[in-house]
Every structure is written in C-alpha cells, then in structure tokens.
Amino acid sequence: MIKEEINIFMAEFIVADLQELTSFALEALLKEDTGNSNIAHAEDKTELILLLKQRPGCIILLDYTLFDFTDVENLLIVSERFPQTLWILISDDLTDIFLRKVIYSSHRISIIFKDSPLKIIQEAIQAAISGHRYICQRATEIILDQNQKEETPTTLTPTEIEILKSIAQGKTTKDIATERFCSIHTINTHRKNIFRKLGVNTAHEAIKYAFRAGLVDTSEFYI
C-alpha cells in the first residue's frame, strides 16, 4: 500500500461516475462515513471542470474508464489545472501502463478498484480527507510485477479487429451487438479483451493505437 502526504484544504466531494447505481452508493457512503451531504455529481468532463472552478479544494471520485477523458494525458492535464484537488480513481480495470503513468506523474491521484472491499474504499476516502494519496494493494502489485508483459496488437483475433473497426466508426455496443447477432454482454467482453491486449483503458485510446499499428485504415475511419 502506497501513501504520500500532500497539502490540501478540507474538501467537498464530486462524484463523477456514469453508473447510476454506483454513483448512488458512493454518495450514500460519503454521507454515512463523513457526515458531509454537500456532494455534487458530474456526468461529463465539461460539467466536471465547471464544478472544479466552483470547488477548487474538492475530492473527486472518478470512474476513469467510463468517463469522457480521451486518454491519461488529458486526465493529468485537468488534474494539474486544479492543483488543490484530490482525485480517487474507482474503475473496473486499469492497465499497468496507465497505473505507472498516473502514479509517477501525480501525487494527488488515488487508485482503487470497483470490486475492492468496502474497507479499502473507506480507507481511500479517509486518506483523501487527511490530504494523502492512496494506492490500493492490487494496483501496487500490478505496477511492481516485473513479469507482466504488454501484449501486442497482432494478438487481436479477427473478430476483435472487426469490433475495433466498428468502434472506430462510432458505433455503440448495442449497434455492434445487433449487427453481429449477439448479446451486449458478448460485445462488452470483446471490448475488455481488446483494451487489455492493447494496453489501453478507453475506446479513444484503442482506436488511436489501432491506427498507429495499421490495424484500421485512417482513410476509412475517423475519431
């Protein structure tokens, strides 16, 4: 477990999670554990930045993989723009490349996972309130694992490449599932496998990676 101390004023909270159930659960947890009912919600980056201008010393609970940050650099730029804020990233999956970039670039971003025990989530919140950065044990193990190797784009299956092309065309998961006569769950599984193999966390990052690797033709698709 990694903790690093920084200076910050007593913060308000912003929940930036597009999953309604998770957002509601986080708000309830914050109210119960901190007694603070002054909790704002952001549904996209534009709304989040507007709230940050109003609450410069806040704590943000963000699901990075579902939010509309284009890549890790975009997240870091916004975090540096508001130096009094602390961030707690709460996501399902984050790659080792992403974790290393965030951990080594910013001392104000904590990292936990959505399937972390409740105690871990509570510890991360309390650490942020105290002005500390919190990195959960699972994230620490990922970045310290010297044997973990990044898979190359050539490991994508033909089906995954076709789905990546559909993503590049701007099609939704529902659209792709309908076209391929399969379930949304199946397409979501393929998306997770594609992201894992490419070492990315968002569709935007996956498309850019695929363009650079020549898996999709830039003359046919647009970001």
Side-chain angles (χ1 to χ4, degrees):
M1 187 181 302
I2 303 173
K3 293 185 179 181
E4 296 189 26
E5 187 172 357
I6 67 172
N7 294 320
I8 191 170
F9 298 111
M10 179 58 67
E12 300 171 295
F13 295 98
I14 298 175
V15 175
D17 192 309
L18 300 184
Q19 291 184 322
E20 187 173 354
L21 184 59
T22 306
S23 179
F24 176 81
L26 288 173
E27 180 175 352
L29 179 63
L30 289 170
K31 289 179 178 178
E32 180 178 351
D33 282 12
T34 70
N36 189 344
S37 60
N38 191 4
I39 301 167
H41 291 263
E43 295 187 358
D44 56 38
K45 185 175 64 177
T46 299
E47 187 174 1
L48 177 59
I49 290 175
L50 288 174
L51 286 170
L52 287 172
K53 291 178 179 178
Q54 300 167 6
R55 304 170 178 226
C58 66
I59 295 173
I60 305 162
L61 285 76
L62 169 73
D63 184 344
Y64 171 78
T65 55
L66 294 183
F67 222 64
D68 61 341
F69 285 101
T70 54
D71 52 32
V72 63
E73 297 294 343
N74 189 215
L75 170 65
L76 292 171
I77 289 171
V78 174
S79 69
E80 290 303 316
R81 183 178 170 186
F82 300 94
Q84 289 181 303
T85 62
L86 280 179
W87 301 66
I88 302 176
L89 302 191
I90 309 176
S91 299
D92 288 320
D93 294 295
L94 294 170
T95 64
D96 61 321
I97 298 173
F98 175 89
L99 291 171
R100 290 177 185 276
K101 182 68 174 179
V102 169
I103 290 172
Y104 298 145
S105 299
S106 174
H107 298 298
R108 294 181 291 106
I109 301 179
S110 299
I111 299 174
I112 57 177
F113 293 90
K114 282 196 171 181
D115 59 356
S116 297
L118 178 60
K119 179 181 178 182
I120 297 298
I121 299 174
Q122 291 173 315
E123 287 181 357
I125 293 171
Q126 290 302 320
I129 291 173
S130 300
H132 293 75
R133 195 256 295 264
Y134 184 101
I135 306 299
C136 71
Q137 184 64 33
R138 175 177 162 191
T140 303
E141 290 172 353
I142 290 173
I143 64 172
L144 293 179
D145 183 4
Q146 298 300 320
N147 295 323
Q148 183 171 350
K149 296 180 180 179
E150 181 184 3
E151 297 182 73
T152 64
T154 55
T155 60
L156 291 180
T157 67
T159 296
E160 289 168 347
I161 292 174
E162 289 303 313
I163 290 175
L164 181 56
K165 289 180 179 179
S166 295
I167 294 172
Q169 290 175 312
K171 296 178 182 178
T172 66
T173 299
K174 183 178 180 181
D175 293 336
I176 300 172
T178 300
E179 288 183 354
R180 301 187 67 84
F181 302 101
C182 60
S183 70
I184 291 176
H185 173 74
T186 297
I187 300 302
N188 279 332
T189 299
H190 282 304
R191 282 172 61 97
K192 287 184 178 181
N193 288 336
I194 292 168
F195 290 4
R196 174 178 55 80
K197 289 179 178 181
L198 298 184
V200 300
N201 296 283
T202 68
H204 188 89
E205 292 173 326
I207 295 167
K208 289 199 299 183
Y209 201 133
F211 283 160
R212 291 195 298 268
L215 292 177
V216 293
D217 188 346
T218 55
S219 67
E220 298 181 53
F221 306 108
Y222 304 90
I223 298 180

